[in-house]
Amino acid sequence: MAEYIKESNNYITSDSDNDTPAGLLPDSLGLLVQSLYTEASSDGERTNKEDIWQSAWHAMRGEFPDVVSKAVEIAKERGIYVNLTKRKVHEARTKLMSSTFQQGKIPFKLTPARRPRFVAPDLLEREDPYDEAMSRAKNCEMKIRDIFDQTSYEDTLSKVINEQTLFGTGVTKSIVLKKIDFPLYQTANTDPLLEMIEEAVESELCPHVEWISVWDVFPSPGATGKSDLDWVIQRRYVSAQELRTMAQTGAGGLDPELIEKCIETGEGQIVADIGGTSPKRWSTNYDKNKNFCILELWHKGLGKEDLEPYMEITDKMTSGGPIHLPAVVTVLGSKVLRAMPNPFDGRLPYDFCYWQEQEDSIWGSGIYEAIRDDQSMMNFIYGMIVEGKTMASQPMFAINPNAFDSTQDDFYDVFPGKIFRMKTGESVNDAFRPVLIPDVTNGLVDLLKIVERNTDLSSGQTPIGMGSGAQYQTKTATGMQILNENQNKLTTSVVRSLNNLVTANVQAVYYWLMADSSDIAIKGDFLCQAKSYDTFMAKEVTIQQVLQLIQVVGQVPEMRGRFNFEKLAVPLKAGLGLEIDGLIKTEEEMAQASQQSQQQAQQEAELASQMEVDNYEGKALVDEKKAVSSDVRKGIIQERLAKIKEGDDILTGELPDLMSRTSLLLLEKMAAEMEQEQQQQQQQDVQNQQQEQAAQGASGQGEAGSPPNIEGRSQMEPAL
């Protein structure tokens, strides 16, 4: 049957045995996006980076790519592979995660702008506008943290750090609207009003920071950073069902009929892509399940004539301005699925962070690129060590076959306890000798230590659990200083780059809330800054400097009076990684504590003064009593002397009693003892009286319950 191609409704059909569409008519804008994608994917710099990324991917998993060097090939033959790449990437990832997260949270802060560009009228009507602005900044910060928790931003940041350390570059896209579904439960006693409310809030569009793999980001060739990007293409592989889901949830931006036609004709279905893809796609069934390639172009300025057939261009877009418009174009194959103006005021929503930033490239260098030669040398050294040890340890012999009796025994089979039969007249020493191969691996061990040390210097990561105590590291001051300085400088630059990425992500969510949210309690002109770099510097530098300062000042007493040690509380607690909220006293709490300490000191001074007065009065009273007693004794003595002169008899027995009665202190003591004895006697009398009353009460109860007097009555006879 004759076949012919006809054009109908923007797609081509084949009039054959059936009416199955043979293909869709390509769009001019779709062909433009495909040409830009081809240009970006075939760029020389991009292809070189993809070769390094592919080798890094295999090295991370302990696998060998097809194209390997001779040193790695030798190691592969020996079955030896020391995964330095995975070890160093893991160490760097652990350090970055601990430096980025503070107490398990993303460290960022929102504060009111110092010179706000706009102040809400209701804010000026408040009694204290600054306190209200601080409260709104805190509310906005809590809202952003809730969004990060709902969209798993920590997992996104973890994936970014993985590619940042391994490949050298981490990429995020913000903002992407993500639909979050809430469960809707059906019960027997469901309130109709509550059911209506649940159906209304069953799902919600939430701003989402998305991780984009470096394999799927194609920036404009020649760009050295985000600031000089002309356009960026994002590639995504989806399945047919995901295409249909996109049409259903695309809020009217995607044509379901067009997507269904693309699925039927296989539009955008890629078998061999021109751009390099992650080895994961070809090592699994990922390429078979998701074989439709969607390209999303973010361009800073496309021509009006290119966009006009696919999107509505208002007079406001072109009046008084250039004819090139920032736009977003989504294509499947050569068909345009959606074309719309850039909703972010011309900003490209892609942010980059680097392990080692390159000045002349938008791509950075990762750990594998820094240690790939060391990885090859390590495998080669271990292969040679295994080969040398094998040669030196396995038994080898040199024999003379003519000296053995081959008819009686197989002299080539050697085992312990074997008996060899020699021919008559042959000497054993001449017929059989062992061959010893010397072990020459000592030099390789020294070379191994050099390679391991160079790996630490190149990656900037010391082994976890070893630190500076590794055997291969020199113990000289110069060697240790070089290692520590190189590690701190490299990690500092990496943390700063990651901190800039987090700041950009937080600002993107903040701007979206300012434009889209209707909550007045979070609106304001705020400054969004991530604190990952400050946290790292506090942990790595500030804490050491503060402790050294405290130690130096403590050793010099003359300097203590010139330092305000209270000011060291903030950096000290920040460096130790403690929670700052509520840990440091505010100025009001400090003033209150100072006032309380002053009041306590005043009370102690008054108490000490009162005690001193009481002691003085008590001492004066005792001295007065002693003086009175002394005067009384002197009078008695004089009286006795006068009686002795007159010849009166003196009763010596009365003298001690008389002297004791003249001591006021003894009299007071005796009076106190007598009073105490009287009190004790009174207490004893009271106790005796209570006991008697209790005994009488018990006896009374016994009489009341006693049986009547049966005296004189006959006793009952015992039972027989």
PDB file of all heavy atoms in Angstrom, residues 279-305:
ATOM      1  N   PRO A 279      27.622   7.334  35.500  1.00  0.00           N
ATOM      2  CA  PRO A 279      27.742   5.882  35.286  1.00  0.00           C
ATOM      3  C   PRO A 279      26.647   5.087  35.977  1.00  0.00           C
ATOM      4  O   PRO A 279      26.386   3.944  35.599  1.00  0.00           O
ATOM      5  CB  PRO A 279      29.124   5.555  35.871  1.00  0.00           C
ATOM      6  CG  PRO A 279      29.882   6.842  35.801  1.00  0.00           C
ATOM      7  CD  PRO A 279      28.870   7.927  36.018  1.00  0.00           C
ATOM      8  N   LYS A 280      25.994   5.685  36.968  1.00  0.00           N
ATOM      9  CA  LYS A 280      24.899   4.995  37.645  1.00  0.00           C
ATOM     10  C   LYS A 280      23.767   4.680  36.678  1.00  0.00           C
ATOM     11  O   LYS A 280      23.095   3.659  36.816  1.00  0.00           O
ATOM     12  CB  LYS A 280      24.383   5.871  38.785  1.00  0.00           C
ATOM     13  CG  LYS A 280      23.190   5.289  39.523  1.00  0.00           C
ATOM     14  CD  LYS A 280      22.682   6.232  40.582  1.00  0.00           C
ATOM     15  CE  LYS A 280      21.438   5.658  41.266  1.00  0.00           C
ATOM     16  NZ  LYS A 280      20.896   6.576  42.287  1.00  0.00           N
ATOM     17  N   ARG A 281      23.569   5.546  35.667  1.00  0.00           N
ATOM     18  CA  ARG A 281      22.466   5.334  34.720  1.00  0.00           C
ATOM     19  C   ARG A 281      22.674   4.063  33.909  1.00  0.00           C
ATOM     20  O   ARG A 281      21.718   3.357  33.591  1.00  0.00           O
ATOM     21  CB  ARG A 281      22.349   6.549  33.804  1.00  0.00           C
ATOM     22  CG  ARG A 281      21.257   6.418  32.761  1.00  0.00           C
ATOM     23  CD  ARG A 281      21.010   7.713  32.016  1.00  0.00           C
ATOM     24  NE  ARG A 281      20.046   7.530  30.945  1.00  0.00           N
ATOM     25  CZ  ARG A 281      18.739   7.504  31.097  1.00  0.00           C
ATOM     26  NH1 ARG A 281      18.241   7.666  32.309  1.00  0.00           N
ATOM     27  NH2 ARG A 281      17.926   7.330  30.077  1.00  0.00           N
ATOM     28  N   TRP A 282      23.914   3.761  33.573  1.00  0.00           N
ATOM     29  CA  TRP A 282      24.185   2.596  32.730  1.00  0.00           C
ATOM     30  C   TRP A 282      24.512   1.354  33.548  1.00  0.00           C
ATOM     31  O   TRP A 282      24.510   0.249  33.021  1.00  0.00           O
ATOM     32  CB  TRP A 282      25.327   2.907  31.777  1.00  0.00           C
ATOM     33  CG  TRP A 282      25.140   4.181  31.027  1.00  0.00           C
ATOM     34  CD1 TRP A 282      25.886   5.314  31.116  1.00  0.00           C
ATOM     35  CD2 TRP A 282      24.114   4.470  30.071  1.00  0.00           C
ATOM     36  NE1 TRP A 282      25.410   6.295  30.294  1.00  0.00           N
ATOM     37  CE2 TRP A 282      24.308   5.790  29.624  1.00  0.00           C
ATOM     38  CE3 TRP A 282      23.048   3.738  29.554  1.00  0.00           C
ATOM     39  CZ2 TRP A 282      23.487   6.403  28.699  1.00  0.00           C
ATOM     40  CZ3 TRP A 282      22.234   4.350  28.628  1.00  0.00           C
ATOM     41  CH2 TRP A 282      22.448   5.665  28.203  1.00  0.00           C
ATOM     42  N   SER A 283      24.809   1.511  34.836  1.00  0.00           N
ATOM     43  CA  SER A 283      25.112   0.349  35.676  1.00  0.00           C
ATOM     44  C   SER A 283      23.860  -0.273  36.272  1.00  0.00           C
ATOM     45  O   SER A 283      23.923  -1.337  36.866  1.00  0.00           O
ATOM     46  CB  SER A 283      26.057   0.752  36.817  1.00  0.00           C
ATOM     47  OG  SER A 283      25.455   1.736  37.642  1.00  0.00           O
ATOM     48  N   THR A 284      22.708   0.378  36.123  1.00  0.00           N
ATOM     49  CA  THR A 284      21.439  -0.153  36.618  1.00  0.00           C
ATOM     50  C   THR A 284      20.429  -0.141  35.476  1.00  0.00           C
ATOM     51  O   THR A 284      20.752   0.164  34.332  1.00  0.00           O
ATOM     52  CB  THR A 284      20.924   0.692  37.797  1.00  0.00           C
ATOM     53  OG1 THR A 284      20.727   2.034  37.354  1.00  0.00           O
ATOM     54  CG2 THR A 284      21.931   0.692  38.947  1.00  0.00           C
ATOM     55  N   ASN A 285      19.180  -0.444  35.807  1.00  0.00           N
ATOM     56  CA  ASN A 285      18.086  -0.399  34.832  1.00  0.00           C
ATOM     57  C   ASN A 285      17.445   0.980  34.769  1.00  0.00           C
ATOM     58  O   ASN A 285      16.325   1.122  34.281  1.00  0.00           O
ATOM     59  CB  ASN A 285      17.022  -1.450  35.183  1.00  0.00           C
ATOM     60  CG  ASN A 285      17.540  -2.859  34.991  1.00  0.00           C
ATOM     61  OD1 ASN A 285      18.379  -3.099  34.113  1.00  0.00           O
ATOM     62  ND2 ASN A 285      17.056  -3.782  35.795  1.00  0.00           N
ATOM     63  N   TYR A 286      18.161   1.964  35.293  1.00  0.00           N
ATOM     64  CA  TYR A 286      17.620   3.323  35.318  1.00  0.00           C
ATOM     65  C   TYR A 286      17.363   3.843  33.908  1.00  0.00           C
ATOM     66  O   TYR A 286      16.403   4.570  33.663  1.00  0.00           O
ATOM     67  CB  TYR A 286      18.621   4.222  36.059  1.00  0.00           C
ATOM     68  CG  TYR A 286      18.144   5.624  36.316  1.00  0.00           C
ATOM     69  CD1 TYR A 286      17.236   5.887  37.329  1.00  0.00           C
ATOM     70  CD2 TYR A 286      18.617   6.694  35.562  1.00  0.00           C
ATOM     71  CE1 TYR A 286      16.803   7.178  37.580  1.00  0.00           C
ATOM     72  CE2 TYR A 286      18.188   7.982  35.806  1.00  0.00           C
ATOM     73  CZ  TYR A 286      17.279   8.217  36.816  1.00  0.00           C
ATOM     74  OH  TYR A 286      16.840   9.486  37.059  1.00  0.00           O
ATOM     75  N   ASP A 287      18.219   3.476  32.957  1.00  0.00           N
ATOM     76  CA  ASP A 287      18.071   3.977  31.592  1.00  0.00           C
ATOM     77  C   ASP A 287      16.880   3.326  30.881  1.00  0.00           C
ATOM     78  O   ASP A 287      16.346   3.885  29.919  1.00  0.00           O
ATOM     79  CB  ASP A 287      19.357   3.726  30.803  1.00  0.00           C
ATOM     80  CG  ASP A 287      19.705   2.250  30.748  1.00  0.00           C
ATOM     81  OD1 ASP A 287      19.449   1.566  31.757  1.00  0.00           O
ATOM     82  OD2 ASP A 287      20.235   1.804  29.725  1.00  0.00           O
ATOM     83  N   LYS A 288      16.448   2.149  31.331  1.00  0.00           N
ATOM     84  CA  LYS A 288      15.316   1.492  30.689  1.00  0.00           C
ATOM     85  C   LYS A 288      13.977   1.995  31.226  1.00  0.00           C
ATOM     86  O   LYS A 288      12.997   2.064  30.501  1.00  0.00           O
ATOM     87  CB  LYS A 288      15.423  -0.023  30.892  1.00  0.00           C
ATOM     88  CG  LYS A 288      16.682  -0.628  30.281  1.00  0.00           C
ATOM     89  CD  LYS A 288      16.745  -2.120  30.540  1.00  0.00           C
ATOM     90  CE  LYS A 288      18.023  -2.718  29.956  1.00  0.00           C
ATOM     91  NZ  LYS A 288      18.115  -4.169  30.231  1.00  0.00           N
ATOM     92  N   ASN A 289      13.937   2.334  32.517  1.00  0.00           N
ATOM     93  CA  ASN A 289      12.684   2.777  33.122  1.00  0.00           C
ATOM     94  C   ASN A 289      12.410   4.252  32.860  1.00  0.00           C
ATOM     95  O   ASN A 289      11.264   4.650  32.680  1.00  0.00           O
ATOM     96  CB  ASN A 289      12.707   2.516  34.631  1.00  0.00           C
ATOM     97  CG  ASN A 289      12.872   1.045  34.951  1.00  0.00           C
ATOM     98  OD1 ASN A 289      12.404   0.198  34.201  1.00  0.00           O
ATOM     99  ND2 ASN A 289      13.539   0.747  36.047  1.00  0.00           N
ATOM    100  N   LYS A 290      13.441   5.059  32.866  1.00  0.00           N
ATOM    101  CA  LYS A 290      13.285   6.498  32.660  1.00  0.00           C
ATOM    102  C   LYS A 290      14.041   6.875  31.383  1.00  0.00           C
ATOM    103  O   LYS A 290      15.218   7.217  31.425  1.00  0.00           O
ATOM    104  CB  LYS A 290      13.830   7.278  33.861  1.00  0.00           C
ATOM    105  CG  LYS A 290      13.127   6.958  35.181  1.00  0.00           C
ATOM    106  CD  LYS A 290      13.729   7.740  36.330  1.00  0.00           C
ATOM    107  CE  LYS A 290      13.073   7.397  37.644  1.00  0.00           C
ATOM    108  NZ  LYS A 290      11.669   7.842  37.721  1.00  0.00           N
ATOM    109  N   ASN A 291      13.367   6.788  30.277  1.00  0.00           N
ATOM    110  CA  ASN A 291      14.038   6.983  28.989  1.00  0.00           C
ATOM    111  C   ASN A 291      13.515   8.188  28.219  1.00  0.00           C
ATOM    112  O   ASN A 291      13.782   8.319  27.025  1.00  0.00           O
ATOM    113  CB  ASN A 291      13.895   5.723  28.123  1.00  0.00           C
ATOM    114  CG  ASN A 291      12.443   5.263  28.033  1.00  0.00           C
ATOM    115  OD1 ASN A 291      11.537   5.936  28.517  1.00  0.00           O
ATOM    116  ND2 ASN A 291      12.237   4.108  27.423  1.00  0.00           N
ATOM    117  N   PHE A 292      12.775   9.087  28.888  1.00  0.00           N
ATOM    118  CA  PHE A 292      12.368  10.341  28.267  1.00  0.00           C
ATOM    119  C   PHE A 292      13.216  11.468  28.853  1.00  0.00           C
ATOM    120  O   PHE A 292      13.308  11.601  30.082  1.00  0.00           O
ATOM    121  CB  PHE A 292      10.881  10.623  28.507  1.00  0.00           C
ATOM    122  CG  PHE A 292       9.963   9.747  27.713  1.00  0.00           C
ATOM    123  CD1 PHE A 292       9.481   8.558  28.238  1.00  0.00           C
ATOM    124  CD2 PHE A 292       9.589  10.103  26.427  1.00  0.00           C
ATOM    125  CE1 PHE A 292       8.638   7.742  27.511  1.00  0.00           C
ATOM    126  CE2 PHE A 292       8.743   9.288  25.683  1.00  0.00           C
ATOM    127  CZ  PHE A 292       8.274   8.108  26.224  1.00  0.00           C
ATOM    128  N   CYS A 293      13.838  12.248  27.999  1.00  0.00           N
ATOM    129  CA  CYS A 293      14.768  13.300  28.421  1.00  0.00           C
ATOM    130  C   CYS A 293      14.079  14.662  28.299  1.00  0.00           C
ATOM    131  O   CYS A 293      13.714  15.090  27.195  1.00  0.00           O
ATOM    132  CB  CYS A 293      16.038  13.263  27.573  1.00  0.00           C
ATOM    133  SG  CYS A 293      17.255  14.515  28.019  1.00  0.00           S
ATOM    134  N   ILE A 294      13.915  15.338  29.427  1.00  0.00           N
ATOM    135  CA  ILE A 294      13.336  16.676  29.471  1.00  0.00           C
ATOM    136  C   ILE A 294      14.463  17.680  29.687  1.00  0.00           C
ATOM    137  O   ILE A 294      15.305  17.491  30.574  1.00  0.00           O
ATOM    138  CB  ILE A 294      12.283  16.789  30.588  1.00  0.00           C
ATOM    139  CG1 ILE A 294      11.084  15.914  30.285  1.00  0.00           C
ATOM    140  CG2 ILE A 294      11.826  18.227  30.764  1.00  0.00           C
ATOM    141  CD1 ILE A 294      10.002  15.976  31.342  1.00  0.00           C
ATOM    142  N   LEU A 295      14.471  18.739  28.900  1.00  0.00           N
ATOM    143  CA  LEU A 295      15.458  19.811  29.026  1.00  0.00           C
ATOM    144  C   LEU A 295      14.733  21.079  29.475  1.00  0.00           C
ATOM    145  O   LEU A 295      13.701  21.454  28.908  1.00  0.00           O
ATOM    146  CB  LEU A 295      16.177  20.068  27.697  1.00  0.00           C
ATOM    147  CG  LEU A 295      16.957  18.884  27.106  1.00  0.00           C
ATOM    148  CD1 LEU A 295      17.599  19.295  25.793  1.00  0.00           C
ATOM    149  CD2 LEU A 295      17.999  18.377  28.083  1.00  0.00           C
ATOM    150  N   GLU A 296      15.296  21.723  30.488  1.00  0.00           N
ATOM    151  CA  GLU A 296      14.727  22.967  31.019  1.00  0.00           C
ATOM    152  C   GLU A 296      15.764  24.073  30.860  1.00  0.00           C
ATOM    153  O   GLU A 296      16.816  24.037  31.499  1.00  0.00           O
ATOM    154  CB  GLU A 296      14.340  22.781  32.485  1.00  0.00           C
ATOM    155  CG  GLU A 296      13.619  23.971  33.097  1.00  0.00           C
ATOM    156  CD  GLU A 296      13.165  23.678  34.515  1.00  0.00           C
ATOM    157  OE1 GLU A 296      12.135  23.002  34.675  1.00  0.00           O
ATOM    158  OE2 GLU A 296      13.865  24.100  35.448  1.00  0.00           O
ATOM    159  N   LEU A 297      15.469  25.027  30.025  1.00  0.00           N
ATOM    160  CA  LEU A 297      16.388  26.118  29.709  1.00  0.00           C
ATOM    161  C   LEU A 297      15.999  27.359  30.499  1.00  0.00           C
ATOM    162  O   LEU A 297      14.849  27.815  30.433  1.00  0.00           O
ATOM    163  CB  LEU A 297      16.363  26.426  28.210  1.00  0.00           C
ATOM    164  CG  LEU A 297      17.101  27.705  27.769  1.00  0.00           C
ATOM    165  CD1 LEU A 297      18.607  27.560  27.989  1.00  0.00           C
ATOM    166  CD2 LEU A 297      16.804  28.017  26.308  1.00  0.00           C
ATOM    167  N   TRP A 298      16.973  27.893  31.255  1.00  0.00           N
ATOM    168  CA  TRP A 298      16.823  29.180  31.939  1.00  0.00           C
ATOM    169  C   TRP A 298      17.752  30.164  31.227  1.00  0.00           C
ATOM    170  O   TRP A 298      18.964  30.066  31.352  1.00  0.00           O
ATOM    171  CB  TRP A 298      17.175  29.056  33.413  1.00  0.00           C
ATOM    172  CG  TRP A 298      16.217  28.235  34.208  1.00  0.00           C
ATOM    173  CD1 TRP A 298      16.132  26.883  34.238  1.00  0.00           C
ATOM    174  CD2 TRP A 298      15.189  28.724  35.069  1.00  0.00           C
ATOM    175  NE1 TRP A 298      15.130  26.478  35.076  1.00  0.00           N
ATOM    176  CE2 TRP A 298      14.525  27.594  35.613  1.00  0.00           C
ATOM    177  CE3 TRP A 298      14.767  29.993  35.463  1.00  0.00           C
ATOM    178  CZ2 TRP A 298      13.467  27.708  36.504  1.00  0.00           C
ATOM    179  CZ3 TRP A 298      13.713  30.105  36.358  1.00  0.00           C
ATOM    180  CH2 TRP A 298      13.069  28.981  36.859  1.00  0.00           C
ATOM    181  N   HIS A 299      17.151  31.079  30.489  1.00  0.00           N
ATOM    182  CA  HIS A 299      17.920  32.003  29.655  1.00  0.00           C
ATOM    183  C   HIS A 299      17.724  33.426  30.160  1.00  0.00           C
ATOM    184  O   HIS A 299      16.614  33.816  30.545  1.00  0.00           O
ATOM    185  CB  HIS A 299      17.479  31.892  28.195  1.00  0.00           C
ATOM    186  CG  HIS A 299      18.538  32.276  27.214  1.00  0.00           C
ATOM    187  ND1 HIS A 299      19.019  33.568  27.086  1.00  0.00           N
ATOM    188  CD2 HIS A 299      19.222  31.532  26.294  1.00  0.00           C
ATOM    189  CE1 HIS A 299      19.943  33.603  26.153  1.00  0.00           C
ATOM    190  NE2 HIS A 299      20.096  32.375  25.655  1.00  0.00           N
ATOM    191  N   LYS A 300      18.816  34.187  30.162  1.00  0.00           N
ATOM    192  CA  LYS A 300      18.726  35.579  30.614  1.00  0.00           C
ATOM    193  C   LYS A 300      18.107  36.502  29.576  1.00  0.00           C
ATOM    194  O   LYS A 300      17.687  37.606  29.924  1.00  0.00           O
ATOM    195  CB  LYS A 300      20.120  36.094  30.991  1.00  0.00           C
ATOM    196  CG  LYS A 300      20.646  35.543  32.298  1.00  0.00           C
ATOM    197  CD  LYS A 300      21.935  36.219  32.702  1.00  0.00           C
ATOM    198  CE  LYS A 300      22.410  35.753  34.077  1.00  0.00           C
ATOM    199  NZ  LYS A 300      23.677  36.434  34.484  1.00  0.00           N
ATOM    200  N   GLY A 301      18.034  36.073  28.316  1.00  0.00           N
ATOM    201  CA  GLY A 301      17.453  36.940  27.300  1.00  0.00           C
ATOM    202  C   GLY A 301      17.254  36.237  25.983  1.00  0.00           C
ATOM    203  O   GLY A 301      18.193  36.131  25.180  1.00  0.00           O
ATOM    204  N   LEU A 302      16.040  35.757  25.738  1.00  0.00           N
ATOM    205  CA  LEU A 302      15.684  35.172  24.450  1.00  0.00           C
ATOM    206  C   LEU A 302      14.924  36.210  23.621  1.00  0.00           C
ATOM    207  O   LEU A 302      14.212  37.062  24.162  1.00  0.00           O
ATOM    208  CB  LEU A 302      14.824  33.922  24.635  1.00  0.00           C
ATOM    209  CG  LEU A 302      15.556  32.634  25.028  1.00  0.00           C
ATOM    210  CD1 LEU A 302      14.552  31.527  25.291  1.00  0.00           C
ATOM    211  CD2 LEU A 302      16.550  32.216  23.969  1.00  0.00           C
ATOM    212  N   GLY A 303      15.054  36.112  22.301  1.00  0.00           N
ATOM    213  CA  GLY A 303      14.413  37.076  21.422  1.00  0.00           C
ATOM    214  C   GLY A 303      12.896  36.975  21.446  1.00  0.00           C
ATOM    215  O   GLY A 303      12.322  35.900  21.642  1.00  0.00           O
ATOM    216  N   LYS A 304      12.267  38.119  21.230  1.00  0.00           N
ATOM    217  CA  LYS A 304      10.809  38.173  21.240  1.00  0.00           C
ATOM    218  C   LYS A 304      10.225  37.320  20.122  1.00  0.00           C
ATOM    219  O   LYS A 304       9.208  36.638  20.305  1.00  0.00           O
ATOM    220  CB  LYS A 304      10.357  39.625  21.101  1.00  0.00           C
ATOM    221  CG  LYS A 304       8.860  39.811  20.993  1.00  0.00           C
ATOM    222  CD  LYS A 304       8.509  41.280  20.800  1.00  0.00           C
ATOM    223  CE  LYS A 304       7.012  41.460  20.595  1.00  0.00           C
ATOM    224  NZ  LYS A 304       6.652  42.877  20.356  1.00  0.00           N
ATOM    225  N   GLU A 305      10.892  37.308  18.978  1.00  0.00           N
ATOM    226  CA  GLU A 305      10.368  36.539  17.859  1.00  0.00           C
ATOM    227  C   GLU A 305      10.438  35.036  18.112  1.00  0.00           C
ATOM    228  O   GLU A 305       9.656  34.262  17.560  1.00  0.00           O
ATOM    229  CB  GLU A 305      11.121  36.880  16.574  1.00  0.00           C
ATOM    230  CG  GLU A 305      12.612  36.512  16.573  1.00  0.00           C
ATOM    231  CD  GLU A 305      13.472  37.552  17.288  1.00  0.00           C
ATOM    232  OE1 GLU A 305      12.892  38.546  17.783  1.00  0.00           O
ATOM    233  OE2 GLU A 305      14.698  37.378  17.334  1.00  0.00           O
TER     234      GLU A 305
END
